[in-house]
Amino acid sequence: MAFKFQWADEDKTVMRYVIEGDWNWRDYHVVVRQSLFSMHRHDQPVDSLVDLRGSTRPSLPSGAANHMRSFGKKHTPALSGRALVLGVSAEQAAELGAVDGRLSTPDGEVVFVDDDDAAWAVIRGWRGESGT
């Protein structure tokens, strides 16, 4: 499977989706549906972290603008509607409609970041944590 998922933190507040190799949007959506079972009866908001850095594709699959918005979709009440994306350049994000690295969605927002440190800084900001 091109995508895998795992909890990114011990408190189970961030679900990380990681790409490995060649992939398409179907691969992503299948693994998201599988991950929802991990959130069954989960009472806290879960943010999504989509890591595309392991992709071997020369470019994003077609339909990226629409599919990227689904990264923040609340497929279950446990999901916050907030997602972070690693592995998409600032230029690509802008082409997808992001403004200052942020893409608004009906359920929340998708934020494009450069690395894990930047991702966790955004998450702390969403949660109102100082990070110190």
Side-chain angles (χ1 to χ4, degrees), residues 23-99:
W23 63 284
N24 59 44
W25 293 116
R26 183 182 178 282
D27 297 327
Y28 167 74
H29 291 291
V30 165
V31 80
V32 166
R33 293 288 181 205
Q34 291 172 346
S35 74
L36 297 179
F37 290 104
S38 299
M39 296 177 220
H40 188 65
R41 295 190 179 140
H42 205 65
D43 61 350
Q44 59 192 358
V46 175
D47 298 318
S48 298
L49 177 59
V50 182
D51 189 345
L52 302 175
R53 295 177 294 183
S55 176
T56 58
R57 292 184 60 92
S59 62
L60 292 170
S62 63
N66 289 329
H67 288 281
M68 288 283 179
R69 282 179 173 74
S70 74
F71 290 172
K73 185 164 178 59
K74 292 181 72 166
H75 297 283
T76 183
L79 285 169
S80 67
R82 302 177 301 212
L84 296 127
V85 180
L86 294 159
V88 174
S89 71
E91 294 80 20
Q92 287 173 310
E95 290 172 7
L96 297 170
V99 177

